[in-house]
């Protein structure tokens, strides 16, 4: 299947898919990635191959999906040449594309000669061997696994110390192929992760290879068949091979006699393929060669897949390091794992909200200069964040001298209120430790009050399309702020909704019901004195 973006920010992009399920959306791991279209959902639509043909269904997108101008409300048949409209983009579908859709177009490969070889292509000559002797001797099936060929597998599996491990592995593959198989030309194609197309990454010719040598000539017929059928292909004489009759013209154009084509498959995906051929002799390859190259391709596919996964992990780690100062831990994990949508809106959750506020902060600001105040706050916030995270909460935001934390969202947690109250008590203990040190250093100190409330909130991206913040809103947030204001220095106050979940584990003292702004009735509140000792059995 070939999908071409004909309209929208990604217009001109083409994607090739060989799997039975194709995803469209803004997520990087979607088969058709429309990352530049902000009106497309992260996972917008799904195409599936069934026994009766292909179908399309909307994946719960925000703006819907159109098939040939009609809304997609359920799984419907996907016809040849269909146009899919999603967001501001249009995608044309070719269910049975021409052969060139499986790799870079023929003229694109020819352009290598005119533009200079891409930096991603590894190419060099291998020996000055007389090609006319290639067909004189062949290795029979019984001699498939010679000591040299077994050593080739070990060599390919050996560690790589190169700064560019992928190119080093490709070079090793070509070394072992040309040392153990009597090919005149060899090509190693890999899938471009961005476009889904196959492109030559390693090219080798036996004999001399002068500067500015000819173009990369690859039979799309062989490539198409190997990828589509996901199996190795051996042709002893392409000109007389009835199974390749449809591709005889291109094979003759490139002067191919014998050819061996093996796909690189890892994790059920075709990552690329190895193509070996000869122009001077027929019957150059045997079934033993095919078996050896197939096993070598399997090892190569594992190495390539491992290198790519390592690169993705390194990228994710770098991204995490760049974002972790701005995005709370748990939402960041969901974002990197593709489970968090970067669109306005959110999800309704049952959450416990905690807010801690510095007492007499205005007086403190008058006594300290900006640098001293900032240093003091940074020490305080750092200590509080460590306590909050250690109890399973996420730091939602800092509002002046206040810190707001959320428990039970975005990941549901039945023990959220217990963890939140325990966290509040430990925050007071951590602050006591800071205050003791500050006093010893002759620095000013302060105290805090903490309030907690529980209820239904909306947790998600709040703001505008240009500037948004992953935050929480709802009545429990406002109630928590009111309770925090009511708390005395170094005191924890909880709402009745929190008390109902923690009373058996903590010592509490009921306070007089208090009128709270926005509430029609006085609120019941409770002061948390400490945690109860575990009952002895």
């Amino acid at each position: 299947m070939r999908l071409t973006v004909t309209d929208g920010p990604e217009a001109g992009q083409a994607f090739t898919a060989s799997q039975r399920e194709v995803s469209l959306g803004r997520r990087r791991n979607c088969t058709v990635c429309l990352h530049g279209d902000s009106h497309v959902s992260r996972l917008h639509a799904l195409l599936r191959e069934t026994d009766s043909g292909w179908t399309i269904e909307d994946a719960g997108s925000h703006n819907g999906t159109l098939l040939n101008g009609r809304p997609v409300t359920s799984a419907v048949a996907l016809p040849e040449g269909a146009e899919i409209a999603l967001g501001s983009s249009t995608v044309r579908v070719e269910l049975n594309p021409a052969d060139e859709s499986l790799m870079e177009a023929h003229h694109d490969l020819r352009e290598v000669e005119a533009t200079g070889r891409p930096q991603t292509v590894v190419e060099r000559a291998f020996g000055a061997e007389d090609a006319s002797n290639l067909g004189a001797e062949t290795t029979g099936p019984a001699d498939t696994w010679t000591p040299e060929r077994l050593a080739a597998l070990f060599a390919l599996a050996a560690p790589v110390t190169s700064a560019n491990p992928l190119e080093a592995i490709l070079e090793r593959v070509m070394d072992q192929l040309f040392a153990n198989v009597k090919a005149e030309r060899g090509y190693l194609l890999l899938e471009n992760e961005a476009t889904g197309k196959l492109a030559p990454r390693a090219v080798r010719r036996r004999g001399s290879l002068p500067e500015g040598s000819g173009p990369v000539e690859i039979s799309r017929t062989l490539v198409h068949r190997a990828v589509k059928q996901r199996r190795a292909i051996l042709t002893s004489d392409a000109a007389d091979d009835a199974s390749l009759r449809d591709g005889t013209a291109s094979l003759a154009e490139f002067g191919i006699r014998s050819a061996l084509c093996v796909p690189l498959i890892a994790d059920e995906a075709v990552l690329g393929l190895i193509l070996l051929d000869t122009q001077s002799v027929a019957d150059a390859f045997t079934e033993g060669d095919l078996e050896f190259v197939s096993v070598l391709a399997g090892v190569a596919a594992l190495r390539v897949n491992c290198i790519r996964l390592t690169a993705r992990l390194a990228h994710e780690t770098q991204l995490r390091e760049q974002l972790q100062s701005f995005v709370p831990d748990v939402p960041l994990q969901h974002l990197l794992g593709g489970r968090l949508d970067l669109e306005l809106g959110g999800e309704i959750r049952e959450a416990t909200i905690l807010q801690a506020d510095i007492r007499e902060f205005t007086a403190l600001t008058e006594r300290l200069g900006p640098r001293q105040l900032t240093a003091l706050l940074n020490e305080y916030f750092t200590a509080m964040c460590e306590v909050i995270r250690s109890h399973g909460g996420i730091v939602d935001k800092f509002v002046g001298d206040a810190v707001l934390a959320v428990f039970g969202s975005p990941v549901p947690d039945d023990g959220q209120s217990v963890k939140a109250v325990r966290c509040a008590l430990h925050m007071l203990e951590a602050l006591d430790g800071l205050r003791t040190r500050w006093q010893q250093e002759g620095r000013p100190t302060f105290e805090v009050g903490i309030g907690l409330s529980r209820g239904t909130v909306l947790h998600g991206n709040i703001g505008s399309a240009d500037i948004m913040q992953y935050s929480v809103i709802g009545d429990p947030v406002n109630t928590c702020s009111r309770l925090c204001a009511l708390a005395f220095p170094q005191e924890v106050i909880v709402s009745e909704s929190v008390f109902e979940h923690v009373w058996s584990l903590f010592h509490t003292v009921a306070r007089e019901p208090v009128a709270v702004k926005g509430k029609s009735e006085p609120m019941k509140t409770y002061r948390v004195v400490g945690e109860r000792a575990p009952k002895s059995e």
Side-chain angles (χ1 to χ4, degrees):
M1 172 186 287
R2 180 182 177 87
L3 302 106
T4 304
V5 184
T6 59
D7 194 17
E10 307 291 343
Q13 290 285 342
F15 304 85
T16 300
S18 58
Q19 60 267 43
R20 295 176 64 89
E21 180 174 288
V22 175
S23 56
L24 298 87
R26 287 194 299 110
R27 286 195 320 211
R28 294 291 187 186
N29 61 349
C30 283
T31 313
V32 178
C33 178
L34 302 171
H35 187 70
D37 191 340
S38 60
H39 299 290
V40 172
S41 296
R42 285 174 58 77
L43 179 59
H44 199 105
L46 290 171
L47 313 182
R48 291 190 175 95
E49 186 179 17
T50 66
D51 293 339
S52 57
W54 283 88
T55 64
I56 178 174
E57 63 179 300
D58 186 83
S61 66
H62 287 286
N63 296 316
T65 304
L66 299 179
L67 176 64
N68 292 332
R70 295 187 175 185
V72 177
T73 56
S74 61
V76 296
L78 182 68
E80 173 67 47
E83 288 196 343
I84 303 171
L86 55 169
S88 59
S89 300
T90 302
V91 178
R92 186 179 68 249
V93 179
E94 298 173 79
L95 299 179
N96 299 295
D99 288 354
E100 59 267 20
S101 66
L102 289 173
M103 58 184 298
E104 300 288 357
H106 185 178
H107 68 274
D108 289 338
L109 294 175
R110 290 277 188 162
E111 286 176 1
V112 173
E113 180 181 28
T115 60
R117 299 197 181 278
Q119 292 182 352
T120 54
V121 175
V122 181
E123 176 175 338
R124 70 174 178 82
F126 186 85
E129 190 170 331
D130 183 4
S132 64
N133 293 326
L134 288 176
E137 297 179 6
T138 57
T139 304
D143 298 326
T144 299
W145 296 110
T146 63
E148 292 77 16
R149 288 187 167 184
L150 291 173
L153 298 181
F154 284 107
L156 188 56
V160 174
T161 57
S162 169
N164 192 328
L166 182 58
E167 287 196 8
I169 286 297
L170 301 185
E171 188 76 0
R172 282 188 190 178
V173 172
M174 301 308 284
D175 284 344
Q176 300 306 327
L177 286 172
F178 271 67
N180 291 278
V181 180
K182 295 180 177 181
E184 292 177 348
R185 301 182 302 186
Y187 308 96
L188 201 161
L189 286 71
L190 289 184
E191 180 191 43
N192 184 311
E193 293 185 276
T195 65
K197 292 181 178 181
L198 294 175
R201 291 293 301 272
V203 178
R204 183 99 30 114
R205 295 184 178 91
R206 197 178 296 272
S208 60
L209 185 64
E211 290 294 326
S213 57
V216 178
E217 298 173 337
I218 298 175
S219 168
R220 295 191 305 277
T221 302
L222 291 173
V223 171
H224 172 70
R225 180 162 300 179
V227 171
K228 186 174 183 179
Q229 298 181 359
R230 300 168 68 89
R231 66 179 179 86
I233 296 174
L234 169 63
T235 177
S236 298
D237 193 337
D240 296 330
D241 194 332
S243 67
L244 299 175
R245 190 164 296 157
D246 293 340
T248 301
S250 65
L251 291 168
E253 178 187 355
F254 298 144
I256 297 174
R257 295 293 303 278
S258 296
L260 196 160
C261 192
V262 181
L264 274 64
I265 300 176
D267 291 338
E268 302 299 322
V270 177
L271 305 182
L273 60 84
I274 293 170
L275 175 60
L276 304 176
D277 66 30
T278 64
Q279 293 177 300
S280 62
V281 295
D283 298 315
F285 307 121
T286 68
E287 292 184 6
D289 294 329
L290 182 63
E291 181 180 341
F292 166 69
V293 177
S294 297
V295 175
L296 192 76
V299 178
L302 292 175
R303 295 303 305 268
V304 170
N305 196 41
C306 182
I307 290 170
R308 286 186 168 180
L309 291 175
T310 301
R312 290 174 195 165
L313 179 60
H315 175 72
E316 180 179 310
T317 300
Q318 182 182 30
L319 182 62
R320 182 187 297 275
E321 291 174 350
Q322 293 172 345
L323 292 177
Q324 65 184 2
S325 297
F326 304 97
V327 183
D329 282 348
V330 175
L332 177 58
Q333 294 170 13
H334 282 223
L335 173 63
L336 295 175
R339 292 169 290 166
L340 182 63
D341 205 340
L342 286 179
E343 296 179 0
L344 290 176
E347 297 180 324
I348 302 299
R349 297 287 191 186
E350 177 82 6
T352 300
I353 312 300
L354 177 155
Q355 181 172 322
D357 197 356
I358 296 176
R359 295 296 174 255
E360 305 297 334
F361 181 69
T362 302
L364 185 66
T365 60
E366 293 176 351
R367 291 160 48 199
L368 299 176
R371 292 186 182 278
Q372 290 177 299
L373 180 62
T374 300
L376 204 66
L377 285 178
N378 286 342
E379 285 187 56
Y380 163 69
F381 284 139
T382 297
M384 297 303 104
C385 287
E386 290 177 356
V387 176
I388 292 169
R389 288 168 178 162
S390 69
H391 287 80
I394 66 170
V395 178
D396 184 84
K397 66 169 71 73
F398 301 106
V399 184
D401 62 304
V403 57
L404 186 72
V406 182
F407 294 79
S409 180
V411 180
D413 185 353
D414 292 338
Q416 56 177 273
S417 293
V418 173
K419 293 178 182 178
V421 172
R422 186 174 290 131
C423 174
L425 294 175
H426 289 172
M427 288 171 69
L428 295 183
E429 292 178 5
L431 180 56
D432 284 339
L434 286 177
R435 294 173 67 234
T436 298
R437 178 165 60 82
W438 289 340
Q439 288 175 342
Q440 294 172 348
E441 296 172 353
R443 301 166 67 188
T445 66
F446 56 77
E447 297 173 309
V448 301
I450 301 178
L452 294 96
S453 182
R454 175 172 175 152
T456 302
V457 299
L458 186 144
H459 205 174
N461 296 311
I462 314 298
S464 69
D466 297 325
I467 302 175
M468 64 178 71
Q469 180 181 19
Y470 190 80
S471 188
V472 58
I473 59 175
D475 180 67
V477 181
N478 300 329
T479 300
C480 179
S481 177
R482 305 282 188 266
L483 295 179
C484 181
L486 293 173
F488 291 111
Q490 299 300 98
E491 185 178 48
V492 176
I493 299 297
V494 301
S495 66
E496 187 173 21
S497 58
V498 173
F499 170 79
E500 291 172 351
H501 290 84
V502 305
W503 64 268
S504 63
L505 298 176
F506 297 90
H507 294 289
T508 58
V509 176
R511 296 179 51 164
E512 288 292 326
V514 60
V516 175
K517 183 179 179 181
K519 299 291 184 181
S520 58
E521 299 290 336
M523 276 190 62
K524 294 181 179 180
T525 61
Y526 302 82
R527 177 167 62 93
V528 180
V529 180
E531 192 164 2
R532 297 181 186 273
K535 294 182 179 181
S536 58
E537 297 183 0

